[in-house]
Amino acid sequence: MRGDLTLVNIGELVTNAPGAADLVGAIADAAVVIRDGFIVWAGAEVEFPDHYRDLGRIDCEGRAVVPGFVDAHTHVVFAGDRADEFARRLDGETYEEVLASGGGIRATVTATRTASDDELEAASRRRLDRMLANGTTTAESKSGYGLDVDTERRQLQVSARLDAEHAIDLVPTFLGAHHTPAAFADDPDDYLGLVIEEALPVCAPLARFADVFCDVGAFTVEQARRVLLAAREHGLDIRLHADELDHSGGARLAADLRAASADHLAYVSAEDAAAMAEADVAAVLLPSTTLSLRSQRFAPGRMLWDAGVTVALGTDCNPGTSYVESMPFVVALACLRNGLRPAEALWAGTRGSALSLLLDDRGTVTPGAVGDLVVLDLPSYRDIPYRLGLDVVWKTVKRGNVVFETA
């Protein structure tokens, strides 16, 4: 439901206004007006228009306000738990050893296939509730834990139900080419035939994007190209898991196909970055995954930013390698491990992520944008990386309605 709301006594307002000298368009002593769910005015409070003074208001008491966080990469709809596997990896087992024993993605596929729709929805709703409490107002939602036609479809249908009922807007992505299921282990191309000929016709009407895991141990560049071109024929925009585990060519494929984004990118090269910038492919950084995997090779955010690539952020919320639901935590990690400055990381987790999802109406506090805001329990956005791990959200506002507030 769209609401009317005024926020006043804002100590620092981040607008992400285009062309701002400080990148984030920060305004001190500010106010914001939301009418019918959309921003209609934002600026210094001394310039507040008189005709908006009768609207319901929130006194922010000097706190900072930023655009709602946009989580550009999640696998939020799944069943099961892999905490035991995480502990085994900490004890020294490799992912390949865990996979061979029936763990890894295969464990999640089994749990997701056997869960009912109601069970999937309930578990995913709890995750979304925690994301909302951390200021996320829009998130991508991938399938990819079915690896069969029926469960891939059910994951996307659960995403649609949650999108309709939950405060967070969900952007659905079909990830049938996430991994080769055990039944097709000897011939991944046969599985891709199923993805293209059977799953895409059923799942494409439920999705906005298609994605492929293009990397070592997953699918090759040519296999990914085959799936993504077929997805385009079904009207889907495309994105890729790319160059996470090795320099496998995924980022260059994303540039060649002018995909919306290439995600992960630990092994992306300067030449890849130049191609991505030229093709307007966003780079979605997922530092919490790298941290969870205890890898020392974080995506080169500084290099990508300086190359002119649109940089975005995501939690990669998933049961195996990044069970993370907090975008402020990811913003902090992007500063500490990807080489971004605080203003760049905040922009990446709001405006950059929105652009990577082809959503031009959010990630900014300017007239015409969706009225999604986060009132931080902090004096400045710079405190997000400074106070790593703190619960930073005082209130989350979605389309002009307060949808989360601390007790």
Side-chain angles (χ1 to χ4, degrees), residues 214-216 221 242-252 265-273 297:
C214 179
D215 216 321
V216 173
V221 167
D243 298 314
E244 177 188 7
L245 306 174
D246 201 349
H247 187 238
S248 56
R252 185 56 63 95
L265 301 174
Y267 287 85
V268 70
S269 70
E271 292 76 16
D272 297 333
R297 193 177 183 108

Side-chain angles (χ1 to χ4, degrees), residues 39 66-68 137-138 169 362 365 370-374 397-399:
I39 308 291
V66 302
T137 52
T138 299
D169 289 335
R362 61 202 72 194
V365 186
V370 175
D372 294 354
L373 302 170
V374 180
V397 175
K398 181 66 185 179
R399 296 185 185 272

Side-chain angles (χ1 to χ4, degrees), residues 340-352:
L340 300 186
R341 302 178 180 96
E344 294 165 344
L346 181 68
W347 188 94
T350 51
R351 186 60 176 164

Side-chain angles (χ1 to χ4, degrees), residues 229-296:
L229 290 177
R232 274 209 171 132
E233 292 180 0
H234 284 274
L236 297 179
D237 286 302
I238 59 175
R239 50 207 313 112
L240 283 86
H241 286 60
D243 298 314
E244 177 188 7
L245 306 174
D246 201 349
H247 187 238
S248 56
R252 185 56 63 95
L253 175 63
D256 289 347
L257 296 181
R258 295 187 174 271
S261 76
D263 302 18
H264 285 292
L265 301 174
Y267 287 85
V268 70
S269 70
E271 292 76 16
D272 297 333
M276 289 173 62
E278 175 67 23
D280 198 24
V281 177
V284 180
L285 311 185
L286 306 167
S288 57
T289 304
T290 312
L291 182 71
S292 179
L293 290 172
R294 297 191 295 171
S295 171
Q296 296 304 305

Side-chain angles (χ1 to χ4, degrees), residues 23-350:
L23 180 65
V24 295
I27 301 172
D29 303 319
V32 178
V33 181
I34 303 171
R35 292 295 305 270
D36 196 27
F38 291 88
I39 308 291
V40 295
W41 185 88
E45 191 164 357
V46 295
E47 301 171 359
F48 191 90
D50 286 339
H51 56 282
Y52 292 130
R53 294 194 180 278
D54 291 336
L55 295 180
R57 64 178 54 201
I58 294 174
D59 183 346
C60 296
E61 301 173 356
R63 294 176 173 87
V65 172
V66 302
F69 291 106
V70 179
D71 190 338
H73 184 127
T74 89
H75 304 254
V76 70
V77 177
F78 65 85
D81 180 274
R82 283 157 59 185
D84 60 335
E85 170 190 319
F86 181 75
R88 288 163 60 191
R89 287 194 284 115
L90 291 178
D91 281 339
E93 284 192 61
T94 66
Y95 180 79
E96 290 74 18
E97 290 170 334
V98 171
L99 190 67
S101 70
I105 188 174
R106 290 175 182 167
T108 301
V109 168
T110 298
T112 303
R113 286 179 177 179
T114 57
S116 69
D117 288 359
D118 288 344
E119 288 169 336
L120 272 177
E121 182 175 348
S124 304
R125 185 185 299 277
R126 289 191 291 271
R127 287 186 278 273
L128 290 174
D129 287 346
R130 291 188 291 269
M131 291 165 70
L132 190 69
N134 282 285
T136 296
T137 52
T138 299
E140 190 234 23
S141 174
K142 300 181 190 292
S143 68
Y145 288 129
L147 307 185
D148 61 21
V149 176
D150 183 60
T151 314
E152 292 291 313
R153 172 188 56 77
R154 291 198 301 118
Q155 280 191 272
L156 292 168
Q157 288 174 329
V158 168
S159 287
R161 285 165 56 180
L162 288 165
D163 177 54
E165 298 169 5
H166 199 276
I168 295 178
D169 289 335
L170 294 179
V171 181
T173 294
F174 170 62
L175 182 58
H178 192 188
H179 192 271
T180 302
F184 290 84
D186 293 334
D187 197 341
D189 285 320
D190 274 1
Y191 174 63
L192 293 184
L194 180 146
V195 169
I196 293 168
E197 296 165 17
E198 299 183 39
L200 261 173
V202 172
C203 294
L206 301 168
R208 174 70 176 82
F209 292 96
D211 191 352
V212 176
F213 198 147
C214 179
D215 216 321
V216 173
F219 297 102
T220 67
V221 167
E222 287 311 311
Q223 287 171 330
R225 186 191 302 272
R226 178 185 167 198
V227 174
L228 294 172
L229 290 177
R232 274 209 171 132
E233 292 180 0
H234 284 274
L236 297 179
D237 286 302
I238 59 175
R239 50 207 313 112
L240 283 86
H241 286 60
D243 298 314
E244 177 188 7
L245 306 174
D246 201 349
H247 187 238
S248 56
R252 185 56 63 95
L253 175 63
D256 289 347
L257 296 181
R258 295 187 174 271
S261 76
D263 302 18
H264 285 292
L265 301 174
Y267 287 85
V268 70
S269 70
E271 292 76 16
D272 297 333
M276 289 173 62
E278 175 67 23
D280 198 24
V281 177
V284 180
L285 311 185
L286 306 167
S288 57
T289 304
T290 312
L291 182 71
S292 179
L293 290 172
R294 297 191 295 171
S295 171
Q296 296 304 305
R297 193 177 183 108
F298 283 75
R302 176 82 273 132
M303 181 270 283
L304 288 159
W305 189 283
D306 290 345
V309 179
T310 297
V311 176
L313 296 175
T315 60
D316 197 13
C317 179
N318 75 77
T321 58
S322 180
Y323 207 145
V324 172
E325 297 152 334
S326 170
M327 280 296 289
F329 179 67
V330 170
V331 167
L333 283 183
C335 294
L336 295 170
R337 302 310 301 268
N338 295 112
L340 300 186
R341 302 178 180 96
E344 294 165 344
L346 181 68
W347 188 94
T350 51

Side-chain angles (χ1 to χ4, degrees), residues 15-26 305 343-344 381-382:
T15 66
N16 286 343
D22 66 348
L23 180 65
V24 295
W305 189 283
E344 294 165 344
Y381 72 87
R382 297 176 185 85

